[in-house]
Amino acid sequence: MIIHMEKSHTENQLHRLKEKIESHDCKPHVIFGETLVTISVIGEVSKISLREIESLDGVAFVTRVSKPFKLCSIETQRDDHKVRVGDLEIGGNSFVTMAGPCSIESEEQTLRIAHAVKKAGAKILRGGAFKPRSSPYSFQGLGEEGLKIMKLAQEETGLLTVSEAMDLHGLELCYKYVDIIQIGARNMQNFSLLKELGKIDKPIVLKRGMSATIEEWLMSAEYILSGGNDKVILCERGIRAFDNQYARNVLDLNVIPILKKLTYLPLIVDPSHGTGYRHMVSPLSRASIAAGAQGIIVEVHDRPEEALSDGPQALLPEEFSGLMKDLRKISEALDIRFISDDVEKKKVA
Amino acid sequence: MIIHMEKSHTENQLHRLKEKIESHDCKPHVIFGETLVTISVIGEVSKISLREIESLDGVAFVTRVSKPFKLCSIETQRDDHKVRVGDLEIGGNSFVTMAGPCSIESEEQTLRIAHAVKKAGAKILRGGAFKPRSSPYSFQGLGEEGLKIMKLAQEETGLLTVSEAMDLHGLELCYKYVDIIQIGARNMQNFSLLKELGKIDKPIVLKRGMSATIEEWLMSAEYILSGGNDKVILCERGIRAFDNQYARNVLDLNVIPILKKLTYLPLIVDPSHGTGYRHMVSPLSRASIAAGAQGIIVEVHDRPEEALSDGPQALLPEEFSGLMKDLRKISEALDIRFISDDVEKKKVA
Amino acid sequence: MIIHMEKSHTENQLHRLKEKIESHDCKPHVIFGETLVTISVIGEVSKISLREIESLDGVAFVTRVSKPFKLCSIETQRDDHKVRVGDLEIGGNSFVTMAGPCSIESEEQTLRIAHAVKKAGAKILRGGAFKPRSSPYSFQGLGEEGLKIMKLAQEETGLLTVSEAMDLHGLELCYKYVDIIQIGARNMQNFSLLKELGKIDKPIVLKRGMSATIEEWLMSAEYILSGGNDKVILCERGIRAFDNQYARNVLDLNVIPILKKLTYLPLIVDPSHGTGYRHMVSPLSRASIAAGAQGIIVEVHDRPEEALSDGPQALLPEEFSGLMKDLRKISEALDIRFISDDVEKKKVA
Amino acid sequence: MIIHMEKSHTENQLHRLKEKIESHDCKPHVIFGETLVTISVIGEVSKISLREIESLDGVAFVTRVSKPFKLCSIETQRDDHKVRVGDLEIGGNSFVTMAGPCSIESEEQTLRIAHAVKKAGAKILRGGAFKPRSSPYSFQGLGEEGLKIMKLAQEETGLLTVSEAMDLHGLELCYKYVDIIQIGARNMQNFSLLKELGKIDKPIVLKRGMSATIEEWLMSAEYILSGGNDKVILCERGIRAFDNQYARNVLDLNVIPILKKLTYLPLIVDPSHGTGYRHMVSPLSRASIAAGAQGIIVEVHDRPEEALSDGPQALLPEEFSGLMKDLRKISEALDIRFISDDVEKKKVA
């Protein structure tokens, strides 16, 4: 932490600042420049709140140098970290695909789509039973009934499953029926929920909030890790920007190289919600693997015009299958381990 | 709802679209222009999802004409609507002030500040017992202990009270101890929580999410109203924009005239979180009343350098007192009813 | 400037950094913390580019402490600075109103509106002869013909005039015909034009770019000041944000208290472009004066449905007159000098 | 154009609206719904200004259905369009690389880097002689001297060249010395400059403004096309968003599939300015080709710590060479024509 005093500060104000720092068992190192007095704080500064120092009289400006996140930081040197789900390892130099309908609508719809995505090479089935809808009048999901269908699809196809929990009740149910629990963008800073996620032993897909900074996102992961669960998979899903005429969000692929420098947690991309339109999903999925993402989560629906939510962004099964072929080719060109059934078979053989 | 077909659409696609519309008991009205075919949908279109139509083949573009919110719409013609709390009526041509510390830190601190804000003319005491903090390592609030202190301050000073709930458990406790329940920006789209708020009979201060559009904000209010609770007070608290070097957020005062045209719900402004810095709070409070807001919620602390959260944005009691004088002068200049003790006394006299 | 080394930096890298700093006649002050090495640079650091230091091997992070703007900084202690135009002084504890049509459309239209705004108390007539239009197919302004009409209106009414220049040619013409030259949001970083503005002796209204940070805006002012012209009036006109459904821009009134702390240059607000809708202009004009702005520039048109540009945001003359009454009342409540004809008369009397 | 009347509109207002539409030789088609009256305008609506209609009494809301851009629209069906420069064809299913230093600093530096990028496979040399700098105190470029060096580098290496013009004077000089003229983000809506670009016969790289919508960007291209020059290459260079802690901008790759649907103009990506940091350039270059961009423009410098501008985002020659190998592999995987020396040679062979 670096503190800059106002030009007009008094000796007394500087004295109070130093006492404050020392009260947190840290050491103030004062540098007298030609026009500015700067204090460098040495010690375990994470205990000191930046805003607390800022509110002292005579202080002009405070910068935090060290990162506010600790457990999920790359500096803990766990870069061989993977998140294990069933027999899969997510992270490192590999790429995984989660695919399926936005909402679980019926047993028949779910099984039909599950078989289709499995055939194309997906290893994890996505599907929502609890749907965060901006309107109280929209379809809110099948609830537990939907999760039972997910379980059935898992048993029938052998796919692993991921589904979203929106509250404690939903979390208990998801825990019971699915393999991976997804936390949506709107709940990224639902701190009460994050604390509960720290107590369980299932992998979490933590989506980025619509206007969450990278640090806020990592601090939300930190909530889960500090509770005891390190199976966190980050998921970029588009940010809110100034032009939504042709896309619902701006998919922010900058985060791929940035997060690689900051954390060892795996990162996947959701090009379906990140764009909102079918024709954009495949190009941006290809971009994601090429930039170094460790997976994607995409919506696939065979009758999008009947989908109860987000039909316009769902790939048709044949489009998804074409995408998988392209992703595999790029993975080979760039020497990335492409997780899919036949890769696993190859490993066995 | 207005639908535009792609230039290359087929007769069959148009036929399917019309069937779809009719399946929702609405009527498609087709207009053949020189270059475009447009369908105007007549009937109760709120049942039809815009995205559902968008996903049909041959459809180029869909616009919703009618508003997605109903119960909170100005068109329900309840513009004499007020939210009653204790003996106060919030809304209409009046202005109310909520003030107090960011966090409840101790009984002594709270009572001290409560007396100070009451003396300056505030009618409602704010104070947080559950704090949404981006870091798991920051002070998380005193919890129920804090709410008991709020109750005590209420009994000692006669001030009404407002405090934030972050989850169901907190909601139950807040319901027990305080007069108004605040929902923070990060929970504006916590739909599970919103549904519970619809079931209770206390006023709700619903803060705008950091990047929530005006419609999303009103749809969150709609969740509460559709559950049966119409005592919703909207609260603007600053949006996230591209420059946060000199302020934490951009306080969006545009919403004051906009919401007046859209809804009858009262609107207050939080210039403390909306800016993040003490020196900005008074100017933007004055701006809020001048633009037509129906109240403010401001942070006041007598020892901001000791505050456990957000010290740099808290007004000192004497600054708050000066602000109240200015607000009163503006209210007189613009003929706004200024709610404060002496006004009430005047009414009695 | 404060520099933080990467944990893994080498002694050699630190050595090179120190040489680099010394090559700019500055002194590096190295602090060895427990986990970090920090260098505080002492001397005339404005000569050193932050990005230059950032690109050195071993450097983790650089912060600039001192402000990049010098001549327009409040620290030059010219807080009694005013911009003189004709017999008016803009700035300080006063409030000025510029009003008129978006575009000069004809002599008759301009004179009609000029008389109307003068009657309501405006002192400066606004009107565009060169219009920056996003479409090449839209009305581009009357050019020199329009400026001649402005001159005529000035002679007929005694109002001072302001009009926009978009390039060198337009600047020469504006210089010839009007009293104040306006630079639009899209040209805020037209550095070639800014350099020319530094060479002339007329006041400049410098609008903020649509997504310009406060520092970028002040640096554009700095271009003009460093060229020799200190008659710069800053103008907030709304920023681009994520929701433009009900307003074209978000008028950012946060800048009013912020700029007061950073610069002595006067600040006016454009609530017409800042919102885009007539019904928002008066509320946000009242907010501007209440927050401490030193003026507004508003669009007034008596036949907005015939306006060749931006009709929906123009106030009708009677609305403008009502607004002026409110602004005068607020100025009296807050002890602000309200510049208008009768005030001037009072001064004479 | 679709117009919605306010519920409370009068017959007279509707009549006036119809007259207005007819005065533009268009036909109003009125639809009386249950709660709303909607008017569909048929004919050459591009002549009618949306804002003009909006300002009529009784009008609630106007939507434009047809696109405001014409000449650059995909609907002109020129999807085999390429921009020819020297012996290269940019656009279609091909990928071109422009590379070189941010600023031309000296003859020696430029030739050294030119040889390096040529060796790695680039076909076009970038280098700035006129630099748009936010500070008047920063290096502003070598001017004509720099352009002469570009010419020399072109003659020595056979590379084509691209350089930025900021005003008319610079445009004349660039026209004289380089093959492609670049218009920077800050000048995307410098309409006076755009009009001049329409009159020349050299290719233009038109960068997207920092907060320009896709339509605004295309309308700026439309300015150039409507002037007579259709050799426009669009360039995405990152947009301004809410988090710039770890990257200077958010590179918006969504535009790649979006623009493919809207226009036939080629699109390249600038991952150097789009991110601001060297370590992000290669991942996002790979993403760009994988998503379907038709080229990149990247900064390369062999002594970035000595660069007079933007050193931290320049790739080292060996990094650039590694990137070119990856791009070539992806182009092969996805069947994209990769424009580089040996490809050209292969074609000859």
Side-chain angles (χ1 to χ4, degrees), chain B residues 215-265:
Chain B
E215 285 209 348
E216 286 170 341
W217 190 12
L218 287 174
M219 288 311 286
S220 286
E222 190 85 3
Y223 260 94
I224 304 175
L225 270 77
S226 69
N229 182 358
D230 70 351
K231 296 183 176 179
V232 175
I233 300 164
L234 300 168
C235 179
E236 161 64 26
R237 50 76 74 206
I239 56 172
R240 190 147 266 186
F242 53 82
D243 185 9
N244 60 2
Q245 186 173 11
Y246 294 106
R248 298 184 102 189
N249 296 290
V250 170
L251 193 70
D252 179 5
L253 299 186
N254 276 12
V255 301
I256 301 175
I258 291 173
L259 286 172
K260 274 216 162 63
K261 282 206 112 177
L262 296 177
T263 187
Y264 57 85
L265 296 175

Side-chain angles (χ1 to χ4, degrees), chain A residues 16 20 51-52 54-57 68 70-71 132-137 140 166-167 186-187 189-192 195 210-213 216 219-220 222-223 226 240 248 276-278 304-306 310-313, chain B residues 16 20 51-52 54-57 68 70-71 132-137 140 166-167 186-187 189-192 195 210-213 216 219-220 222-223 226 240 248 276-278 304-306 310-313:
Chain A
R16 269 183 84 181
K20 188 81 175 181
R51 299 276 289 164
E52 172 192 0
E54 250 185 350
S55 69
L56 292 175
D57 287 331
K70 306 285 164 202
L71 300 174
R133 303 303 296 270
S134 51
S135 167
Y137 311 124
Q140 308 271 321
M166 289 168 60
D167 52 28
R186 291 170 186 79
N187 280 314
Q189 291 196 317
N190 183 335
F191 301 117
S192 307
K195 285 176 187 170
M210 255 173 284
S211 62
T213 63
E216 287 170 340
M219 289 311 287
S220 286
E222 189 84 5
Y223 260 94
S226 69
R240 189 148 266 185
R248 297 184 103 190
Y277 292 98
R278 183 177 308 138
E305 72 284 4
E306 292 175 11
D310 281 340
Q313 72 198 26
Chain B
R16 269 183 84 183
K20 188 81 173 180
R51 299 276 289 165
E52 172 191 2
E54 251 184 350
S55 68
L56 293 174
D57 287 333
K70 306 284 164 204
L71 300 175
R133 303 304 295 270
S134 49
S135 167
Y137 311 123
Q140 307 270 323
M166 289 168 61
D167 52 29
R186 290 170 186 79
N187 279 314
Q189 291 196 317
N190 182 334
F191 301 117
S192 307
K195 285 176 187 170
M210 256 173 285
S211 63
T213 63
E216 286 170 341
M219 288 311 286
S220 286
E222 190 85 3
Y223 260 94
S226 69
R240 190 147 266 186
R248 298 184 102 189
Y277 292 98
R278 184 177 306 138
E305 73 283 3
E306 292 174 11
D310 281 340
Q313 72 197 27

Side-chain angles (χ1 to χ4, degrees), chain C residues 22-183:
Chain C
E22 284 159 358
S23 76
H24 288 285
D25 294 327
C26 290
K27 274 195 296 187
H29 183 114
V30 185
I31 310 151
F32 294 91
E34 271 166 58
T35 55
L36 276 172
V37 173
T38 302
I39 296 95
S40 173
V41 183
I42 295 169
E44 183 48 83
V45 291
S46 68
K47 292 183 230 156
I48 312 181
S49 146
L50 189 144
R51 300 275 289 165
E52 172 191 2
I53 299 298
E54 252 185 349
S55 68
L56 293 174
D57 287 332
V59 167
F61 182 66
V62 188
T63 326
R64 184 182 287 287
V65 177
S66 51
K67 304 271 177 276
F69 45 89
K70 306 285 163 204
L71 300 174
C72 67
S73 168
I74 194 79
E75 294 183 3
T76 61
Q77 276 159 329
R78 297 175 52 188
D79 38 58
D80 59 337
H81 175 85
K82 308 259 183 0
V83 172
R84 178 164 274 281
V85 204
D87 58 344
L88 296 187
E89 285 187 339
I90 297 174
N93 183 36
S94 71
F95 188 87
V96 72
T97 309
M98 310 182 182
C102 183
S103 297
I104 303 297
E105 296 159 21
S106 72
E107 187 179 311
E108 201 235 322
Q109 166 246 22
T110 305
L111 289 179
R112 223 168 51 217
I113 298 174
H115 282 293
V117 301
K118 184 186 163 79
K119 197 176 149 198
K123 293 292 291 180
I124 300 173
L125 177 68
R126 62 147 291 150
F130 301 102
K131 302 301 303 172
R133 304 304 295 270
S134 50
S135 167
Y137 310 124
S138 298
F139 175 63
Q140 308 270 323
L142 293 184
E144 184 168 7
E145 184 55 30
L147 293 174
K148 285 181 183 168
I149 295 172
M150 282 298 270
K151 184 76 187 164
L152 185 69
Q154 186 214 48
E155 288 163 0
E156 273 234 5
T157 61
L159 290 167
L160 295 164
T161 52
V162 56
S163 198
E164 176 169 355
M166 290 169 60
D167 51 29
L168 289 193
H169 174 67
L171 178 56
E172 273 168 38
L173 290 171
C174 282
Y175 186 82
K176 189 168 159 194
Y177 293 108
V178 298
D179 301 301
I180 306 175
I181 291 154
Q182 178 184 312
I183 299 303

Side-chain angles (χ1 to χ4, degrees), chain A residues 1 21 24-27 41-49 64 66-68 70, chain B residues 137, chain C residues 34-35:
Chain A
M1 185 178 283
I21 292 166
H24 288 285
D25 293 327
C26 290
K27 274 195 295 188
V41 183
I42 294 168
E44 183 47 86
V45 292
S46 68
K47 292 183 230 159
I48 311 181
S49 145
R64 185 182 286 288
S66 50
K67 305 272 178 271
K70 306 285 164 202
Chain B
Y137 311 123
Chain C
E34 271 166 58
T35 55

